[in-house]
């Protein structure tokens, strides 16, 4: 299925809910979807690559980008800067692409404000807090202090769940990916997202009427 109007799919979730994997898999499955690579000042993890997972910058470089208004949105998450660079987003949407982004709840809110008619907000949740905690502990990426901070933030994020359009429970990764894929398909089928097709149909009908 392909879309005729670009839009943004925001995937927000507490850390450890599996949203990065979901975003990457959706991008792999669908050729109409592009992943938005964020800029961050957080330290690069062992398995991460610059310009693929994030654009890793220093605090000074990030602050310079803020001054130059290079972000669609930016936020401080778990004590580090994170931001969505403007450069490609608007162009991609105008070219009818679907941009998927893995950002926090503050970022989701900013995207909704900036693109009220072209954004779909999905909140991904694990089925319970124990699963979330186990995932954070098992991925061996962060120290206990960071994990504690992330669990605290999760509580605050879940408070804002009503601002989202959809909730996807990530109990089983494949099912969660299928759910997000299904949401994107539904968005593509919205009347609002098919105005060119409808316009063409109307025009053809008028032509038929003239001929008959
Ligand atoms: P992590 O450090 O685990 O990769 O990401 C930490 C949090 O920052 C996650 O909730 C992630 O979604 C969020 N995040 C990543 N990129 C951005 C961004 O560009 N903007 C905002 N607001 N949050 C982001």
């Amino acid at each position: 299925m392909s879309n005729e109007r670009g839009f943004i799919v925001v995937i927000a979730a507490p850390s450890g809910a599996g949203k990065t994997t979901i975003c990457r898999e959706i991008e792999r499955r669908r050729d109409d979807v592009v992943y938005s690579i964020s800029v961050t000042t957080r330290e690069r993890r062992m398995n991460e690559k610059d310009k693929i997972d994030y654009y890793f910058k220093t605090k000074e470089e990030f602050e310079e980008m803020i001054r130059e208004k290079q972000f669609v949105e930016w936020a401080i998450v778990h004590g580090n800067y994170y931001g969505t660079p403007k450069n490609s987003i608007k162009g991609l949407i105008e070219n009818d692409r679907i941009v998927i982004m893995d950002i926090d709840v503050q970022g989701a809110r900013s995207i909704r404000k900036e693109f009220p008619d072209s954004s779909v907000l999905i909140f991904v949740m694990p089925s319970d807090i124990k699963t979330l905690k186990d995932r954070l502990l098992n991925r061996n990426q962060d120290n206990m202090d960071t994990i504690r901070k992330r669990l605290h933030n999760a509580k605050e994020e879940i408070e804002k769940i009503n601002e989202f359009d959809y909730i996807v429970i990530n109990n089983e990764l494949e099912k969660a990916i299928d759910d997000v894929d299904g949401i994107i398909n539904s968005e593509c089928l919205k009347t609002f997202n098919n105005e060119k097709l409808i316009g063409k149909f109307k025009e053809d009908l008028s032509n038929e009427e003239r001929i008959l």
Side-chain angles (χ1 to χ4, degrees):
M1 188 177 313
S2 72
N3 62 305
E4 69 164 39
R5 193 173 160 276
F7 55 90
I8 299 174
V9 180
V10 174
I11 307 281
S15 287
K19 68 189 155 185
T20 313
T21 318
I22 294 175
C23 287
R24 290 305 196 171
E25 184 53 26
I26 291 286
E27 189 195 28
R28 199 189 62 76
R29 273 194 199 182
R30 304 183 60 117
D31 54 15
D32 50 359
V33 170
V34 187
Y35 180 74
S36 158
I37 303 171
S38 295
V39 181
T40 185
T41 59
R42 149 164 90 57
E43 228 169 86
R44 190 167 63 82
R45 295 180 183 134
M46 291 259 286
N47 57 339
E48 288 178 327
K49 290 198 177 73
D50 188 31
K51 301 187 180 68
I52 291 179
D53 296 291
Y54 279 106
Y55 295 101
F56 292 96
K57 302 274 182 197
T58 62
K59 196 162 166 268
E60 291 69 30
E61 286 169 333
F62 198 101
E63 286 170 349
E64 179 67 24
M65 290 179 76
I66 298 175
R67 278 194 294 277
E68 291 174 353
K69 301 198 174 6
Q70 291 192 39
F71 293 111
V72 180
E73 64 75 37
W74 64 270
I76 296 174
V77 190
H78 316 309
N80 290 301
Y81 280 122
Y82 291 84
T84 307
K86 247 185 212 165
N87 51 20
S88 57
I89 308 290
K90 282 200 169 123
L92 285 168
I93 294 179
E94 277 156 20
N95 284 314
D96 304 333
R97 303 301 296 276
I98 301 167
V99 181
I100 194 162
M101 49 179 79
D102 154 4
I103 61 178
D104 85 319
V105 171
Q106 311 168 69
R109 214 178 236 175
S110 309
I111 293 291
R112 168 68 23 108
K113 212 165 151 203
E114 188 79 10
F115 301 93
D117 300 325
S118 319
S119 55
V120 186
L121 272 45
I122 305 177
F123 195 88
V124 176
M125 294 205 323
S127 51
D128 54 61
I129 293 301
K130 185 179 176 309
T131 316
L132 180 68
K133 196 172 161 194
D134 288 348
R135 280 198 202 147
L136 284 173
L137 289 169
N138 292 338
R139 69 181 186 179
N140 289 329
Q141 284 174 343
D142 306 298
N143 59 37
M144 275 316 286
D145 196 38
T146 306
I147 291 175
R148 224 170 280 128
K149 215 189 271 176
R150 285 176 181 238
L151 277 176
H152 177 77
N153 286 357
K155 200 169 146 230
E156 292 188 347
E157 288 184 331
I158 288 176
E159 293 290 328
K160 304 195 179 84
I161 211 159
N162 288 335
E163 296 175 24
F164 286 75
D165 301 309
Y166 296 94
I167 290 168
V168 167
I169 305 288
N170 184 14
N171 259 352
E172 230 182 280
L173 187 61
E174 272 306 303
K175 165 86 172 57
I177 294 165
D178 286 346
D179 283 347
V180 172
D181 201 25
I183 293 168
I184 297 176
N185 285 339
S186 307
E187 284 302 310
C188 292
L189 292 173
K190 275 192 171 160
T191 318
F192 178 63
N193 284 331
N194 285 282
E195 280 168 358
K196 283 182 212 154
L197 180 82
I198 296 164
K200 167 92 174 55
F201 203 80
K202 281 186 188 162
E203 197 187 311
D204 289 350
L205 274 177
S206 304
N207 288 339
E208 281 302 318
E209 265 179 344
R210 227 173 289 132
I211 297 165
L212 286 174

